[in-house]
Amino acid sequence: MTGDLVKILDGNTFVVSDAQGDIEASLTDPTGLFSFDTRFLSRWVLTVNGQRLNALSVDDLQYFETRFFLVPGTGTVYVDAKLSVIRQRAVGGGFREQLTILNHDEKPVELTVRVEAGSDFADLFEVKDALEKKGMYSARVEDGQLLLGYERETFGRATIISASTPAELDANGLTFTLQIEPHGAWATELQVVTAALLGSGGWRRAGDVARLRPRPSMERSLHRWLAEAPRVESDSDSLRATYRRSLVDLAALRFSPPIAGGRSLPAAGLPWFMTMFGRDSIFTSLQALPFTPELAATTLHMLGLWQGTRVDDFRDEDPGRILHEMRYGEMTAFEERPHSPYYGCADATSLYVVLLDEYERWTGDRKLVRELESEARAALNWIDEYADLKGNGYVWCQRRNEETGLENQCWKDSWDSISYRDGKLPGFPRATCELQGYAYDAKVRGARLARLVWKDDELAKKLEREAADLKRRFNRDYWVEDGEYFALALDSEGKQVDPLTSNNGHLLWSGIVDQSKAKSIAAHLVGPRLFSGWGVRTLAEGEGRYNPIGYHTGTVWPFDNSFIAWGLRRYGFKEEAAQIASGNLEAAGFFDGRLPEAFGGYGREVTKYPVQYPTACSPQAWSTGTPLLLLRTMLGLEPLGDHLVVDPALPSSIGVLALLDIPGRWGRIDAFGRGRIGMERTDMRKGRRARTRAA
Amino acid sequence: MGDATAEFFDELARRGREPLLEKATGTLRFDLVDGKRIERWRVAIEKGDVTVSRKNAAADCVVRTEKSVFESLARGELQMLTAFLRGLMRLEGEGELLVLFQRVFPGPPTSRDKRRVAGSARRKR
């Protein structure tokens, strides 16, 4: 795979092609037209008079639309520059491709234009894991359309290809025979529509399936999205560009599940995770709350709708549990994968309550909190009744689906993410530390909502009692005395899994850390073992499994860093929070404002630039949300009753920062800050008081 | 083999009020194809209050599937989303209502609620 793949997307439909606009996918290669976790085109190759084309330039017009300028011939010297070929492609229910050929010659030209088309109908899981298909393929020409099909028992998917001008169709593509006058042009529009076989009703085209109700046109929708978001004013060009990039990418990653009435929530990331994810949707909604609070409302609504109601070992479902991941492909349909939906995560259920409370604090929307009372109660109940596998008052994880379920049901979910200092892996169940923090926060926030909105004082008292008890035990059982930080997890014997990790930052965020221990945690987070200069590593240098390009064992995750910065602010460590914000935002500058899922944990002085993790997803929702949350932490935005407190602490690399028209229960408010905090950690002056005004 | 479909709907009717459907208001009709026969069940929900009938009347959400498919759903052997993705059922109308309604189907008969097992060993610290 090369770096110059071109991606356009709309919700969970996306096209990945090369710089010529062609698709030539192999089973293991994530190029093609994908929709609902199925590849609908794996071959899409344009030739003119039998010749492949050469790209002059590619214009990304919008996240859903791109334009390729091409000339016939390959190689660096253009043999025939008398023709120009323009492919303009827009995604949506499949894609449309406007194909234009210009003749620059004084003579007419006769051309044979061919578009090769084919599909392997691979499930995204098959592409990811390189698996073989079990059904039957077909290709036929019917009513002026080429219909590529795949059927396995009652499961059917199809790609329907047609053109707006006369073409010869065959099982492998379309051929146009044409003549263009001197200085003339020829154009056609190719339509690629995805379809699914549904019951005895026959084929249903995307559009019917994807959106039961029409959405406003994509362009208008993007325009409104950008217009409604707060504005950033700053002397830092890089910061303004990063903010703009984040807003556009977040719009692109909005995803309307088939049964959401046109509402959208953040999908996790391209290309593997364009679907509904519990944890990712919640974290991204939290990051985006000061900017686009409606994402949080939809996330709460949709995840509540699919909340677990029964015990199902295959899906790791329990009553009250919030889903981990939902998929729509063939392997899910045939239960070769459990994502229908899969519930195997131990954090999203607590985080659901956290998001509900944070949403109310920003928006004052008590109606939604009342509507979701039973879901929130069920979630709180799950923590005690189902997550406490050992009956000792902690949240544990152990999958019941031993074959295809997830082993580590926390955000660091790769196989070797949880290890002792010496690199050995503990057995199951495991109780990672941040799960306890989230559960604590869920109880504290649940108590606030119980008292304020549900008018249930008994529940509030019970939750507060439990939270205090959890905090007391946690600070005793997880504290690593000789390192002065919290253990990554407890193993099944109750022993500490003891390396130094970024999880400590999430503990600050959740508030479970005793005040007396916070200073030492903050020092670790910006200390040399964890802080690379760009950000906080997932696992500290010096630990047994530390590897600067280990997925969860040494890389820097921007999303992780944004919550660490929030945690540091929560405990008053403004300087440290600004240091982390500064490193991550400077890293974003190297990625054109688009932070990847993860980058290498190499020290900044070693590589001079952040090294992208090899197979990282990009754009990815919670990386996209990172600059947003960092803006919040730098400005020290915190709702207090009907007011927004602004307490800026900016790194000196940013001179001035204004965030204008921040939406919330106060209407719209502006926040201002000036850069004061030097990154050499010598000059720590108090940030200037912010001015605020109601709009 | 008994009629799991009839048991499922009878049980639903007997409960009358279903907390899992508190958010639901609307009507669903299940058209179950059994050879040449079509067995119809209509469920009217008013904020969790459930009425079941066999009326062939209009509904906000109409699901059409084989009787055998619904039998599997009612026994917890098949799950709604996989049935839908596999093309085993057709849906017309309000999808969200069906997402809410799928809450009341049972889990797989082989999965046991281990909560009470854990609960008995609770809090020994």
Side-chain angles (χ1 to χ4, degrees), chain A residues 467-683:
Chain A
D469 177 50
L470 175 57
K471 184 171 181 173
R472 183 183 54 77
R473 286 183 287 113
F474 179 83
N475 278 272
R476 179 192 66 199
D477 298 343
Y478 280 74
W479 186 245
V480 177
E481 287 288 348
D482 67 351
E484 301 207 316
Y485 58 81
F486 288 97
L488 173 56
L490 294 186
D491 66 17
S492 56
E493 265 90 61
K495 285 210 311 282
Q496 292 179 349
V497 180
D498 53 356
L500 174 61
T501 62
S502 64
N503 299 44
N504 280 278
H506 287 240
L507 297 172
L508 291 178
W509 172 57
S510 65
I512 198 173
V513 175
D514 280 344
Q515 201 64 48
S516 62
K517 295 186 167 76
K519 200 170 173 203
S520 146
I521 296 297
H524 276 301
L525 289 168
V526 294
R529 291 187 61 207
L530 277 176
F531 191 68
S532 74
W534 301 110
V536 180
R537 301 179 176 105
T538 41
L539 180 66
E541 218 169 26
E543 300 297 357
R545 280 192 186 264
Y546 172 74
N547 170 359
I549 47 166
Y551 199 49
H552 295 122
T553 54
T555 54
V556 173
W557 284 60
F559 118 83
D560 190 24
N561 277 258
S562 67
F563 281 86
I564 294 167
W566 190 356
L568 286 164
R569 287 288 324 220
R570 179 167 180 166
Y571 278 80
F573 299 101
K574 293 182 190 181
E575 185 189 357
E576 289 82 352
Q579 191 176 343
I580 287 168
S582 172
N584 275 269
L585 290 170
E586 280 166 38
F590 285 87
F591 299 111
D592 291 329
R594 177 183 280 170
L595 282 164
E597 177 183 42
F599 52 85
Y602 303 105
R604 184 167 179 169
E605 67 288 352
V606 179
T607 58
K608 310 290 182 208
Y609 60 90
V611 177
Q612 184 162 351
Y613 180 79
T615 64
C617 285
S618 185
Q620 199 197 35
W622 61 13
S623 291
T624 298
T626 290
L628 305 183
L629 180 48
L630 293 177
L631 284 170
R632 171 182 175 174
T633 62
M634 289 191 301
L635 288 167
L637 305 180
E638 204 55 51
L640 188 69
D642 282 335
H643 304 280
L644 181 66
V645 174
V646 183
D647 181 14
L650 303 186
S652 55
S653 55
I654 297 169
V656 287
L657 170 62
L659 188 62
L660 307 176
D661 291 329
I662 306 165
R665 57 201 304 162
W666 40 79
R668 296 246 177 191
I669 282 181
D670 302 342
F672 302 90
R674 292 173 70 88
R676 283 299 167 90
I677 291 173
M679 286 304 105
E680 301 310 313
R681 307 196 60 193
T682 47
D683 176 30

Side-chain angles (χ1 to χ4, degrees), chain A residues 118-389:
Chain A
S119 178
D120 63 0
F121 293 98
D123 185 310
L124 259 183
F125 282 121
E126 294 166 318
V127 181
K128 216 175 162 184
D129 303 335
L131 301 170
E132 295 289 330
K133 299 296 284 185
K134 295 185 175 144
M136 296 290 291
Y137 292 99
S138 63
R140 61 177 192 276
V141 176
E142 205 175 83
D143 306 328
Q145 299 179 324
L146 170 57
L147 203 138
L148 304 172
Y150 174 78
E151 286 178 57
R152 171 174 168 194
E153 297 169 29
T154 48
F155 176 93
R157 299 289 182 268
T159 308
I160 303 162
I161 302 163
S162 61
S164 63
T165 58
E168 272 174 60
L169 279 73
D170 60 75
N172 298 312
L174 304 81
T175 306
F176 301 87
T177 311
L178 52 111
Q179 185 177 7
I180 311 178
E181 294 308 305
H183 302 291
W186 171 85
T188 191
E189 187 177 271
L190 301 162
Q191 282 246 17
V192 181
V193 177
T194 61
L197 197 57
L198 290 181
S200 45
W203 293 101
R204 256 212 233 182
R205 289 163 177 250
D208 310 342
V209 178
R211 296 183 203 98
L212 296 177
R213 284 172 212 161
R215 278 200 313 164
S217 87
M218 286 191 270
E219 189 139 13
R220 231 175 40 230
S221 149
L222 176 62
H223 185 76
R224 210 179 52 219
W225 172 265
L226 293 174
E228 281 175 7
R231 277 176 300 127
V232 160
E233 286 179 6
S234 174
D235 58 331
S236 165
D237 294 342
S238 159
L239 181 63
R240 288 200 315 271
T242 297
Y243 178 65
R244 168 95 189 171
R245 178 85 260 161
S246 293
L247 285 181
V248 171
D249 281 352
L250 207 53
L253 289 165
R254 282 174 304 168
F255 157 59
S256 305
I259 309 178
R263 280 180 296 232
S264 54
L265 72 165
L270 195 72
W272 304 121
F273 300 123
M274 294 308 292
T275 183
M276 184 149 67
F277 256 86
R279 176 189 304 128
D280 298 53
S281 298
I282 293 173
F283 274 131
T284 308
S285 298
L286 280 166
Q287 292 171 319
L289 252 179
F291 301 85
T292 57
E294 65 274 15
L295 277 183
T298 312
T299 297
L300 289 162
H301 177 84
M302 289 308 297
L303 293 178
L305 198 58
W306 283 101
Q307 185 173 39
T309 54
R310 59 200 143 233
V311 173
D312 182 337
D313 294 343
F314 177 64
R315 294 176 183 80
D316 277 322
E317 177 180 358
D318 306 307
R321 199 167 191 177
I322 295 298
L323 70 85
H324 174 56
E325 182 180 356
M326 183 122 127
R327 291 285 184 178
Y328 306 94
E330 179 184 347
M331 298 190 75
T332 302
F334 287 94
E335 299 198 346
E336 291 159 353
R337 288 288 183 282
H339 301 83
S340 50
Y342 181 59
Y343 289 87
C345 72
D347 51 11
T349 309
S350 296
L351 292 169
Y352 184 81
V353 181
V354 171
L355 176 61
L356 185 62
D357 177 67
E358 190 69 12
Y359 172 78
E360 195 284 333
R361 294 176 68 236
W362 279 88
T363 63
D365 178 3
R366 293 193 185 169
K367 187 167 161 281
L368 189 71
V369 179
R370 262 192 298 275
E371 267 175 39
L372 295 175
E373 178 180 345
S374 57
E375 281 78 1
R377 282 175 181 267
L380 288 162
N381 187 58
W382 178 85
I383 296 170
D384 296 331
E385 294 286 318
Y386 290 93
D388 183 5
L389 297 176

